[in-house]
Amino acid sequence: MAAVAYRAMLGRLGFTTDAQVFISDVDRGGFDTLASLDVLVSGDPTGGNFVKSMRRPGGDSSNGVLVSFKAETNFKSLLFYLRHKKRTNRTVRIQDITLANISALAMCQEKEVNDKANFVTPEAPDFDPDDWAQSAENVMDFVSKHPGVTGIPLSYVLRDKLRVKAEADDPAFGLVDSEYASMEEEMVSRASILSSTAVATMTDAELEEVGPFTDTFLMDSAKVYDLLTTLFGSKEYYTYIRNAGKKKNSIN
């Protein structure tokens, strides 16, 4: 039953029957479930290399399958959809994968590509030691303009809450009753900081010390530490940043 639903989903994207068989065959495409596509989400986010291997497996087009431009484009949108759901800790059900749903993120997808290609380092924020509230807001805005390794604004590293709200109590951006004004705001709020092995009964204070943290967070935290060091390395209050940076964990 699951295999039938998965093939039907591929059909909705525009893949031919032969292409559906190729993708889901463990000895050819090897992607027979949504979970298995996570390899592409991380390693081939546009799906371009995989589609090329479908058309010319082993460099031989005589053994390939037809993949239309429409199917390739929709597959690219699917991978971005799965990536976005993953970084916002949202459950993906195969029946939710429709052209309408994955196309809804098309503008966000295009924006991320353009922002990455045309990234310009933001100007250093104004910082007034006599106005910590405004200065902190300026720094947060500066950090948020830098993307993390998965495209999430780096300001998530500095958020107050380590844990993410239960999905059922936190409607996604665009839905009725959502508290988010943008996809970026949702990503900052719902990005994973703690590893799935973190002890649920521990307090946030305890977790800040021992984690465990996700690999993505640790890489992004190191980037934030470096940004703050560049901004404040010559200031007297840099001591606080330097102490936190012993492990480059910006939340401490």
Side-chain angles (χ1 to χ4, degrees), residues 15-25 28 54 64-66:
F15 286 110
T16 64
T17 300
D18 286 344
Q20 295 169 34
V21 171
F22 183 102
I23 293 170
S24 56
D25 188 317
R28 299 179 75 190
M54 292 176 64
V65 295
L66 176 66

Side-chain angles (χ1 to χ4, degrees), residues 109-136:
Q109 181 179 9
E110 184 177 352
K111 179 178 182 298
E112 285 195 17
V113 171
N114 290 336
D115 287 350
K116 183 176 181 179
N118 301 299
F119 180 76
V120 177
T121 302
E123 292 185 7
D126 293 329
F127 194 90
D128 181 359
D130 296 323
D131 188 352
W132 281 94
Q134 183 60 54
S135 295

Side-chain angles (χ1 to χ4, degrees), residues 143-177:
V143 172
S144 72
K145 292 176 181 176
H146 293 77
V149 294
T150 62
I152 303 172
L154 281 177
S155 50
Y156 89 91
V157 169
L158 302 175
R159 75 179 188 223
D160 294 331
K161 297 180 180 179
L162 298 183
R163 295 181 172 92
V164 174
K165 289 182 181 179
E167 184 176 1
D169 301 326
D170 193 26
F173 167 70
L175 297 181
V176 176
D177 296 329

Side-chain angles (χ1 to χ4, degrees), residues 92-124:
V92 178
R93 302 178 305 169
I94 203 161
Q95 61 265 35
D96 293 333
I97 299 178
T98 63
L99 293 182
N101 285 343
I102 64 174
S103 298
L105 297 180
M107 290 185 64
C108 180
Q109 181 179 9
E110 184 177 352
K111 179 178 182 298
E112 285 195 17
V113 171
N114 290 336
D115 287 350
K116 183 176 181 179
N118 301 299
F119 180 76
V120 177
T121 302
E123 292 185 7

Side-chain angles (χ1 to χ4, degrees), residues 192-214:
S192 291
I193 289 178
L194 296 170
S195 166
S196 59
T197 59
V199 179
T201 56
M202 292 178 69
T203 66
D204 277 8
E206 291 171 325
L207 290 169
E208 280 189 8
E209 293 297 326
V210 301
F213 305 104
T214 66

